[in-house]
Amino acid sequence: MTDPTSVPDPAADSPDGFATRAIRAGRAASGRALAPAIWASTTWESESLEDAHLRAISARGPEFYSRYGNPSVRDFESAIADLEGAEAALAFASGMGAIASVVLALCSAGDHIVAQRQLYAGTLSFLQGPCARLGIEVTFVDGFAPGAFGEAIRPGRTMLVIAETPSNPRLDIVDLGAFGAINGPFTMVDSTFATPLGQQPLRHGVDLVMHSATKGIAGHNDATLGVIAGEAELINEIWSYGVLHGAAASPYDAVNALRGIKTLAVRVAQQSHSATEIAATLCSHPALSAVYYPGLASHPHHDLATRQMNHFGSVLSVEVRGGRDQVRTVFEHLRLCRLATSLGGPETLVCHPATTTHAGLNPEEQVANGVSESMIRISVGLESAADLIADLTQALNRS
Ligand SMILES: *Cc1c(COP(=O)(O)O)cnc(C)c1O
């Protein structure tokens, strides 16, 4: 367990420390090359019968076969471990590959999971569908109500407690200190919206931090990748299951993510700065009834976000006055913002969660998730903030 009372290294906490580490982290397999090397091989030659045996049986040992580990993927993992302040990290073929592998590695039939209700829709569907089918019971709680996670824990039966912060799509914030103080079951935070530079859940005593690296970490809409980080013993246990589950990360995606990590600090700084400006400007737009962004003083969890986050992230959500028809009109008039699902990339993307990311939820579940017919999620990219404000304003003026 990471000691939550240990004094953090001030240099490690400063944005400059992150920027420097992001440039240098995860270089072991690249030799003297400055660009990360792609190890495409699926298999490695052994020196002898004994050597082959050793490679086959060691947990995360020397190169053996690609599903067990790959040097390019390992470099990506060590970069994430470095940025998260973790002993170890483990990559997967996608964010969902990471979540499914963690749940199935740690939970058996008859076990119990406590999860925040306001989750990424894929995570929610996995917990409601396959988990229920396999006899893993899940209790959903309001992740923002103080004490809600703890009250739902059944001592001896609850194996895993899952939180997501900031949450999708309403950007609510879970108190990482309170979450990390939970004793007994393993705790996991989906930190995708924050990126490893936005917050470090492990410093608060959380056992596992998880990212869809498909989003801000890779950051260019060209890699599908997931990653978890935590103590080496726990990561090794999940690895042992993961080798059988088979959601192994591709070295090509790992290399794209390593490239993304080098510019992560400047990208998140710019995106979060633009998101703050856009949120502040849109607050007074008459076509909107609400703007959700943790960087706004009016956000219900603004103080908590200020305490536990280094930046407020690249995503904001708004509610237009009216409903789906007004959303459609806004989408038809946007020139710069693109209608696509994902976040953390260079292009600014808009989506309508009710009909896309959260389309699989029934109306009550949508309300519980903070999703409404009039909501638009905006993932702020790297265009100039002034151009984005002009584009959003002219489209909203038509609604
Ligand atoms: C996208 C996303 C996931 C799933 O990741 P994939 O890489 O698409 O499998 C999980 N959690 C959050 C918060 C996400 O945004």
Side-chain angles (χ1 to χ4, degrees):
M1 176 84 75
T2 313
D3 179 9
T5 59
S6 66
V7 182
D9 168 15
D13 264 342
S14 76
D16 287 348
F18 279 122
T20 306
R21 280 151 58 205
I23 298 294
R24 300 184 63 95
R27 317 298 311 151
S30 300
R32 299 181 71 86
L34 290 183
I38 300 181
W39 288 80
S41 187
T42 57
T43 190
W44 280 264
E45 190 177 1
S46 299
E47 281 169 16
S48 61
L49 182 77
E50 288 70 28
D51 179 43
H53 177 61
L54 189 74
R55 286 169 191 266
I57 62 159
S58 5
R60 312 197 74 198
E63 275 71 43
F64 172 60
Y65 179 69
S66 53
R67 184 158 38 75
Y68 288 56
N70 168 289
S72 301
V73 174
R74 197 163 298 166
D75 270 358
F76 165 64
E77 292 166 342
S78 55
I80 294 296
D82 184 334
L83 295 176
E84 289 288 1
E87 277 179 16
L90 183 61
F92 298 88
S94 66
M96 283 313 299
I99 289 167
S101 301
V102 168
V103 168
L104 297 178
L106 300 180
C107 302
S108 309
D111 285 345
H112 178 242
I113 293 175
V114 176
Q116 168 182 336
R117 189 171 287 119
Q118 305 84 356
L119 285 174
Y120 177 73
T123 313
L124 187 63
S125 301
F126 182 76
L127 295 174
Q128 289 177 326
C131 282
R133 184 162 54 73
L134 295 170
I136 301 168
E137 199 186 333
V138 185
T139 302
F140 292 100
V141 300
D142 179 351
F144 321 113
F149 288 108
E151 283 161 23
I153 290 171
R154 300 181 199 160
R157 268 200 69 203
T158 308
M159 288 301 294
L160 182 63
V161 189
I162 303 175
E164 179 181 316
T165 184
S167 74
N168 179 25
R170 219 174 55 181
L171 296 318
D172 288 309
I173 308 293
V174 175
D175 185 330
L176 288 175
F179 190 75
I182 291 172
N183 281 316
F186 293 113
T187 48
M188 175 166 78
V189 168
D190 183 337
S191 197
T192 300
F193 275 44
T195 82
L197 270 49
Q199 64 195 15
Q200 284 73 46
L202 302 182
R203 285 176 190 271
H204 298 269
V206 173
D207 297 311
L208 284 173
V209 57
M210 172 266 155
H211 293 275
S212 166
T214 312
K215 314 291 169 51
I217 292 176
H220 294 73
N221 300 320
D222 59 5
T224 306
L225 196 64
V227 67
I228 58 169
E231 280 199 343
E233 194 183 333
L234 180 56
I235 295 292
N236 280 355
E237 185 183 336
I238 296 166
W239 173 86
S240 303
Y241 170 77
V243 164
L244 306 176
H245 188 93
S250 153
Y252 295 94
D253 288 334
V255 159
N256 276 340
L258 275 168
R259 183 203 52 195
I261 287 172
K262 290 199 201 193
T263 57
L264 186 57
V266 286
R267 286 187 289 109
V268 294
Q270 168 73 20
Q271 286 168 321
S272 151
H273 185 263
S274 295
T276 306
E277 259 186 56
I278 293 167
T281 308
L282 294 188
C283 271
S284 56
H285 198 287
L288 296 178
S289 59
V291 177
Y292 304 104
Y293 185 64
L296 290 175
S298 60
H299 188 283
H301 310 133
H302 175 67
D303 291 344
L304 178 59
T306 306
R307 281 200 303 279
Q308 68 185 33
M309 299 184 76
N310 303 322
H311 65 78
F312 298 113
S314 61
V315 181
L316 67 142
S317 289
V318 299
E319 299 211 40
V320 294
R321 291 188 197 282
R324 195 182 290 196
D325 289 341
Q326 283 68 31
V327 170
R328 185 182 294 107
T329 307
V330 172
F331 283 0
E332 282 168 3
H333 289 93
L334 286 170
R335 297 281 167 269
L336 189 54
C337 303
R338 322 279 282 267
L339 178 52
T341 300
S342 199
L343 57 112
E347 294 85 6
T348 295
L349 307 182
V350 294
C351 79
H352 183 230
T355 53
T356 55
T357 54
H358 291 71
L361 274 55
N362 65 40
E364 296 82 63
E365 289 171 334
Q366 289 202 345
V367 171
N369 265 263
V371 176
S372 81
E373 276 290 324
S374 55
M375 178 178 274
I376 299 175
R377 189 184 80 183
I378 305 170
S379 163
V380 177
L382 294 171
E383 306 89 342
S384 94
D387 288 344
L388 292 170
I389 290 170
D391 189 41
L392 287 160
T393 305
Q394 64 79 23
L396 287 167
N397 289 345
R398 311 289 197 97
S399 75

